[in-house]
Amino acid sequence: DLIYSGIMSIGRQEVKLFRNYIYQMASIIPGYEYDIFISYRQKDNKGDSWVSEFVDTLKTELESTFKEEISVYFDINPHDGLLETHDVDASLKEKLKCLVFIPIISHTYCDSKCFAWEHEFKAFIELATKDQFGLKVKLPGGNVANRVLPIQIHEIAANDKVHIEKELGGLLRPVEFIYKEPGVNKPLTSEDDEKKNLNNTKYRIQINKVANAIKEIIEGLKAEPVVPVKEINPRIDPLEGVRKVSERKKRIIASIFNQKSKKRLIILLSVFFCIIVSYAIYKILDRRKQTQDLTNLEKTIAVLPFRNLSNDTVQLPFCDGFMEDILNNLVKVKSFTVRPRTSSYQYRDTKKSTVIIGKELNVNYLVIGSVGREGNNLKIRVNLIDSKADKQLWSHNYTGEMNQLYSLVNEIAKEIASVLRAELTPEEIKKIEKRPTENPEAYNYYLQGNYYYWKSSGMGELSTSIELYQKAIRLDPGFALAFTGIAKCFLDQYWNYQDHSEEILHKSKEAIDKAFAIEPGLSDAHLALGIYYYHGYMNYPEALKEFEQVLEDQPKNPEVIYWSAAVHRRAGNWEMAKSEFEKAVELNPGRSDIAGDAGETFDLIRNYSKAEEYYNMSLMLQPDWVITSRRLSQMYLRWEGDMRKAREILGYAARNNKSFLSDSLIIETNVLIDIYEGKYEDALKEISLFKFDVIQTEFYFRPKYLYNASIYGLMNKPELEHAYYDSARIFLEKRIIDFPDDQRLYSSLGIAYAGLGLDYRAISRGEKAVKLLPVSKEAWKGVYLVEDLALIYVMVGKYDDAIKQIKYLLSIPGFLSPKILEIDPRWAPLRNRPEFKKMIESYSVK
């Protein structure tokens, strides 16, 4: 920079040429400042200067690994603009132009207040994503590696790992420099004995692994086509070449106008003409190639939430509805794969670039825009973006009135199809142009109903949605989609036990029938009818038949594929469930709940490593999703009996979510871990934190009294145990009077009876629960009831019957595992029985 500033007076072109030469010397690939950038927290280099020693040792290893000199940027000067109190400056941005970025992952590195995390780690990922190579590189052996090469010096918290993997866009695969002994978690040094290290790693070997990994990445980058910077001989005056070019130009011009050079002039003109013609042909072929590229490139599209031009938040439902209208029209084009609103809605008011959003949603194109509405007047802007090239393909401003809304939406869908070279069939055009209603005001109520339906988290929003749909119907009794909206709201209320009555099922079917009467074959009505068969009667064949009707018309509709996956899982069609959930995640990569359900499916079939991947994906998308955190925590117990991991995940969930549901589910899992660890007093304290008398899920209904009774039994306090079991009995018997078909109640009552020594009653209630919802009818929920029955058999001393039920459970997908049978004290009476030991050994995860 000093040399550069000193020659500014020479001329811009010469300076640019000279500076390019200087930059070329910095990295073995032109255009980059350094080959390697080391990022770390200053506090991790205090004391024994672990980071400095690591860098020195790595540099020595690199000298014997590479023929070339490898440049390494390592901040040894705390005043070099890199202090955690400083802002990122231009010089740091230049230094981040490197081939390989090495973050030192420690207890403290993953911190939004940490300069290294925000302005080095995240900044490099953003820069690398946009440069000529991208963040990931193909290695010489065919594998793919990330240009971020993490060095991990501590075992980190699960939530820190989730944050890192979210930024990396994949699993954390570090080279570990961790020394572990019981109670020890510190950076590995050259003096540590690998035989005492529980990780069995040696410092020198790990250094060699890092150098080899760097070599693979750089060789992969060198194999990529790049635009080289012209080399300059440093011993030659950098301006000499410029002077020679100037003199040569003068001689050429003089020779052209020399009378003796006419032949040469004719030749030059001929060459010039050929160049012009060739260029014209090239441009024509290039345009054809671009057209062919648009035709061949997979047409994956996401419609992002439209920006509300009005400050009035009342217009938000209209903006979201307009976005959904465009999306629904694009879905009607069979050559398009369109991400649903549930994936793209997370990007409302986002500051992420279109390149990042495109990668996160795995789409090639993004539709973005803005909507303004004042009374009856509309002002709309729509843009179509190539997310990979980060360029605008098409843009248009629209103005009109509310009664022109459908025409505008239709025109936008056709324009996008035209730009992307999608040939619309007459049937597709007919579907796009079809209007759901001729009444703009009714349509506005419908959009508002959709808004509250999608954001519904309880009875209140669903009731609001129903009222808005009914207003739409009053204005247009022939509005079929409004009827299907009402039906889906009723079915959600029924499924979530907000109104679990035959009457509400009847109302939902009535609304579906009206929709079909108005518009026979309506896809949304088939979807609602499938949900009706599924939620109302667990009639899986009929539900799947209705979903297949929708998929015939919309084969890439991820919402319907997700519904199909859920039905296949409950029906026990595990291979289909796996396939459909994976397809749903692929088509809808932005939905945390779908990734979580995919994880739970693999969890049920005891493919725990695959389940872990999907659970982590779910938490990357929505870190505060407590249901996924709880599932992952309990999976670690089932898989490895790992109490520490399980508690870490719960702690992360507790910090990120303070809802009642979060508190209940976290407390319940903590109670289980306390019981497994024999910390019964701690378990009782946790139980006292329950805000209500019951903790319930779709699968079980447990009064707080049952937990207390079980714990007092393990503590050998029979009087308290008996008192709490009796309280649970009274509570459940009263509940059954109001809900006689709820199998969950009979299962819990059977446990209470067993605790009271009422053996016959206990077994009869447990068996009744299984008969009400057998595994053959409900493969997902039914296993909970069989497990409760097995526990009842243990409690009443029928050990052979208990082992028979357990063996059945281990032979089918479910949540009971050999590891749980080993750590849960409730199964302790079985552990000395030879047939039990043999069964555990047979079904243990290898």
Side-chain angles (χ1 to χ4, degrees):
D1 285 339
L2 187 62
I3 298 170
Y4 171 60
S5 61
I7 60 172
M8 276 297 290
S9 58
I10 298 174
R12 290 184 180 179
Q13 187 62 35
E14 292 85 348
V15 168
K16 184 177 179 183
L17 198 66
F18 190 77
R19 192 173 190 185
N20 281 344
Y21 164 67
I22 295 170
Y23 284 170
Q24 184 181 342
M25 298 299 291
S27 169
I28 62 174
I29 293 181
Y32 289 85
E33 277 284 290
Y34 293 93
D35 295 311
I36 301 166
F37 187 110
I38 309 287
S39 172
Y40 70 104
R41 290 295 296 266
Q42 293 280 353
K43 58 176 68 177
D44 289 325
N45 201 33
K46 293 179 179 178
D48 59 1
S49 301
W50 189 93
V51 184
S52 295
E53 183 181 337
F54 165 78
V55 174
D56 290 341
T57 311
L58 178 62
K59 283 180 178 178
T60 303
E61 188 72 17
L62 291 172
E63 286 179 7
S64 60
T65 306
F66 286 86
K67 295 177 182 177
E68 308 95 326
E69 288 294 322
I70 299 298
S71 58
V72 178
Y73 180 79
F74 169 59
D75 166 33
I76 55 174
N77 177 9
H79 300 290
D80 190 22
L82 303 178
L83 281 175
E84 296 177 15
T85 55
H86 289 181
D87 290 329
V88 65
D89 60 9
S91 66
L92 177 59
K93 287 181 180 176
E94 288 298 318
K95 290 161 187 167
L96 281 171
K97 289 181 181 176
C98 60
L99 304 181
V100 181
F101 181 90
I102 297 181
I104 309 297
I105 306 297
S106 65
H107 285 312
T108 63
Y109 189 85
C110 181
D111 179 0
S112 59
K113 297 176 184 177
C114 161
F115 182 88
W117 172 265
E118 286 294 320
H119 296 306
E120 293 177 3
F121 180 71
K122 290 175 69 174
F124 172 79
I125 290 172
E126 187 173 354
L127 284 170
T129 300
K130 296 178 181 178
D131 74 10
Q132 60 185 331
F133 295 117
L135 188 59
K136 295 184 179 179
V137 59
K138 189 173 182 180
L139 303 179
N143 293 326
V144 175
N146 200 309
R147 283 167 59 191
V148 176
L149 178 59
I151 302 300
Q152 189 170 339
I153 63 174
H154 294 131
E155 289 284 354
I156 58 173
N159 57 317
D160 286 345
K161 184 181 178 185
V162 169
H163 284 312
I164 292 169
E165 290 180 339
K166 182 176 181 181
E167 297 298 333
L168 290 175
L171 296 176
L172 174 65
R173 302 184 189 279
V175 180
E176 290 190 351
F177 283 77
I178 302 172
Y179 182 85
K180 287 185 70 176
E181 283 185 25
V184 178
N185 176 16
K186 76 175 190 70
L188 179 70
T189 68
S190 55
E191 299 174 358
D192 289 324
D193 185 350
E194 72 273 16
K195 292 178 182 177
K196 292 183 179 179
N197 185 4
L198 294 177
N199 288 336
N200 299 123
T201 49
K202 189 173 183 178
Y203 185 84
R204 186 68 186 77
I205 297 298
Q206 297 305 92
I207 288 287
N208 182 255
K209 285 182 182 179
V210 176
N212 290 334
I214 291 169
K215 186 174 183 179
E216 276 196 308
I217 293 170
I218 290 178
E219 285 181 353
L221 293 171
K222 287 166 73 176
E224 295 285 335
V226 297
V227 181
V229 178
K230 187 176 179 181
E231 292 188 9
I232 303 173
N233 189 331
R235 290 171 294 181
I236 297 176
D237 178 0
L239 303 184
E240 184 64 25
V242 178
R243 295 191 191 100
K244 287 182 178 179
V245 169
S246 179
E247 290 172 6
R248 189 163 63 250
K249 284 180 182 176
K250 291 178 182 178
R251 288 198 299 272
I252 291 171
I253 292 168
S255 67
I256 287 174
F257 291 99
N258 191 321
Q259 292 296 323
K260 295 179 181 180
S261 304
K262 287 182 179 178
K263 289 183 179 179
R264 194 177 299 170
L265 179 61
I266 291 169
I267 292 169
L268 285 171
L269 289 172
S270 299
V271 171
F272 180 72
F273 177 75
C274 289
I275 290 170
I276 294 296
V277 171
S278 298
Y279 180 73
I281 293 170
Y282 163 76
K283 292 300 287 181
I284 292 168
L285 292 174
D286 186 53
R287 277 196 296 272
R288 286 183 181 175
K289 181 180 179 300
Q290 288 178 7
T291 300
Q292 191 68 26
D293 287 346
L294 282 173
T295 304
N296 292 337
L297 191 63
E298 187 185 3
K299 296 176 177 60
T300 48
I301 307 172
V303 183
L304 301 188
F306 274 53
R307 188 164 59 89
N308 181 11
L309 292 177
S310 167
N311 292 324
D312 186 2
T313 55
V314 175
Q315 297 300 332
L316 268 179
F318 179 77
C319 292
D320 289 351
F322 187 79
M323 159 205 171
E324 193 173 349
D325 276 343
I326 294 175
L327 188 152
N328 287 338
N329 266 347
L330 294 177
V331 166
K332 295 168 185 173
V333 182
K334 287 191 177 180
S335 60
F336 288 170
T337 300
V338 185
R339 300 291 182 246
R341 73 183 302 283
T342 46
S343 258
S344 54
Y345 198 75
Q346 61 181 302
Y347 298 102
R348 173 173 289 289
D349 301 324
T350 186
K351 293 182 181 178
K352 291 184 178 181
S353 68
T354 53
V355 173
I356 297 296
I357 295 172
K359 284 191 174 183
E360 289 181 353
L361 290 176
N362 193 23
V363 295
N364 293 318
Y365 306 105
L366 295 172
V367 178
I368 62 176
S370 56
V371 179
R373 180 188 173 195
E374 291 184 9
N376 198 37
N377 298 317
L378 297 173
K379 184 179 180 181
I380 297 164
R381 180 174 180 80
V382 185
N383 303 284
L384 178 64
I385 307 293
D386 181 333
S387 63
K388 291 191 181 297
D390 196 20
K391 68 177 182 181
Q392 183 172 283
L393 298 177
W394 169 78
S395 176
H396 196 81
N397 291 318
Y398 296 91
T399 56
E401 297 181 350
M402 273 296 292
N403 58 10
Q404 298 174 292
L405 179 64
Y406 308 130
S407 301
L408 294 178
V409 172
N410 297 344
E411 186 179 338
I412 290 166
K414 290 177 185 176
E415 284 285 355
I416 291 170
S418 175
V419 173
L420 297 182
R421 303 292 189 270
E423 294 184 9
L424 298 178
T425 64
E427 183 185 358
E428 287 171 337
I429 293 172
K430 185 179 178 182
K431 287 178 182 176
I432 288 171
E433 291 180 345
K434 183 174 178 56
R435 297 188 176 194
T437 176
E438 296 294 334
N439 189 314
E441 192 179 350
Y443 191 65
N444 191 34
Y445 280 126
Y446 170 73
L447 295 181
Q448 291 181 50
N450 286 347
Y451 176 80
Y452 285 103
Y453 175 73
W454 283 112
K455 75 188 287 285
S456 65
S457 58
M459 191 79 168
E461 287 88 354
L462 289 173
S463 297
T464 302
S465 289
I466 291 169
E467 288 175 17
L468 290 163
Y469 290 139
Q470 287 172 339
K471 284 184 178 180
I473 290 167
R474 282 195 289 272
L475 291 168
D476 180 4
F479 198 168
L481 283 175
F483 281 108
T484 61
I486 287 174
K488 286 189 278 190
C489 286
F490 283 144
L491 290 167
D492 275 9
Q493 289 179 356
Y494 179 84
W495 185 248
N496 295 317
Y497 284 86
Q498 293 165 359
D499 185 350
H500 201 71
S501 66
E502 276 295 321
E503 184 185 356
I504 201 167
L505 281 180
H506 176 72
K507 285 181 179 179
S508 67
K509 183 61 163 60
E510 201 173 57
I512 293 167
D513 290 342
K514 286 180 180 177
F516 274 128
I518 296 164
E519 192 175 334
L522 178 65
S523 290
D524 208 55
H526 280 295
L527 173 60
L529 186 56
I531 298 169
Y532 168 80
Y533 284 126
Y534 169 31
H535 280 182
Y537 301 100
M538 294 184 187
N539 188 334
Y540 305 133
E542 288 300 319
L544 290 170
K545 190 189 298 181
E546 295 301 321
F547 296 150
E548 284 164 11
Q549 282 279 99
V550 184
L551 290 171
E552 280 182 20
D553 186 46
Q554 301 168 15
K556 297 176 183 177
N557 187 320
E559 183 188 0
V560 184
I561 291 169
Y562 178 44
W563 280 111
S564 295
V567 171
H568 280 300
R569 179 167 64 180
R570 290 181 186 271
N573 304 328
W574 294 101
E575 287 303 317
M576 282 298 297
K578 279 195 307 179
S579 172
E580 295 290 88
F581 271 120
E582 289 186 300
K583 194 186 300 182
V585 171
E586 182 184 348
L587 290 171
N588 200 350
R591 264 187 72 176
S592 172
D593 57 337
I594 294 181
D597 278 340
E600 188 166 37
T601 302
F602 283 99
D603 192 350
L604 281 158
I605 61 175
R606 301 182 180 88
N607 185 341
Y608 297 124
S609 57
K610 191 75 173 176
E612 184 182 38
E613 287 181 28
Y614 279 112
Y615 284 149
N616 283 332
M617 183 189 300
S618 176
L619 288 174
M620 283 183 209
L621 292 167
Q622 192 174 346
D624 64 349
W625 190 246
V626 68
I627 293 175
T628 297
S629 296
R630 174 176 172 271
R631 288 171 177 171
L632 180 57
S633 174
Q634 294 193 353
M635 188 200 74
Y636 283 132
L637 298 173
R638 288 190 287 273
W639 183 10
E640 303 165 326
D642 195 324
M643 317 288 184
R644 182 186 62 80
K645 273 188 184 178
R647 285 206 192 273
E648 277 183 4
I649 294 294
L650 292 177
Y652 169 70
R655 288 191 296 275
N656 283 277
N657 195 311
K658 298 298 181 184
S659 70
F660 161 66
L661 174 65
S662 168
D663 288 346
S664 299
L665 297 179
I666 291 169
I667 288 169
E668 183 209 22
T669 308
N670 268 322
V671 167
L672 291 178
I673 298 172
D674 287 335
I675 291 172
Y676 297 162
E677 292 181 330
K679 298 176 180 177
Y680 302 133
E681 292 289 351
D682 290 345
L684 289 172
K685 288 177 184 176
E686 290 278 357
I687 288 290
S688 69
L689 297 175
F690 278 174
K691 294 179 181 177
F692 291 90
D693 292 331
V694 175
I695 182 164
Q696 62 174 316
T697 69
E698 184 183 344
F699 308 101
Y700 55 81
F701 184 98
R702 297 282 196 254
K704 185 165 67 171
Y705 308 117
L706 275 184
Y707 292 93
N708 281 304
S710 178
I711 295 165
Y712 281 123
L714 293 167
M715 296 173 73
N716 198 25
K717 294 185 177 182
E719 290 183 5
L720 287 170
E721 178 188 12
H722 187 279
Y724 276 105
Y725 273 131
D726 200 45
S727 296
R729 174 191 64 79
I730 294 167
F731 184 93
L732 289 163
E733 285 176 345
K734 287 181 179 178
R735 180 84 180 180
I736 284 175
I737 294 171
D738 296 324
F739 300 95
D741 298 324
D742 189 345
Q743 70 283 340
R744 303 173 304 165
L745 303 179
Y746 293 97
S747 188
S748 291
L749 183 58
I751 294 171
Y753 282 149
L756 293 169
L758 303 172
D759 296 2
Y760 174 76
R761 288 189 186 182
I763 294 169
S764 68
R765 295 306 182 274
E767 289 177 345
K768 181 168 184 177
V770 172
K771 286 176 184 176
L772 283 170
L773 194 65
V775 173
S776 59
K777 184 176 181 181
E778 169 56 285
W780 189 28
K781 290 169 67 174
V783 292
Y784 279 91
L785 306 173
V786 177
E787 185 177 333
D788 282 348
L789 179 59
L791 180 62
I792 290 168
Y793 282 138
V794 172
M795 293 174 73
V796 302
K798 289 187 170 291
Y799 299 143
D800 289 339
D801 290 330
I803 290 172
K804 182 180 177 183
Q805 296 298 329
I806 291 169
K807 190 172 184 179
Y808 168 64
L809 287 170
L810 294 178
S811 70
I812 62 172
F815 290 120
L816 188 64
S817 74
K819 189 59 70 174
I820 289 293
L821 291 166
E822 290 175 11
I823 63 176
D824 188 338
R826 294 178 301 173
W827 305 107
L830 303 177
R831 289 177 190 153
N832 290 327
R833 301 179 74 84
E835 61 270 39
F836 183 79
K837 291 179 180 179
K838 185 178 178 182
M839 180 180 64
I840 292 295
E841 186 179 344
S842 173
Y843 285 104
S844 289
V845 178
K846 300 293 189 287

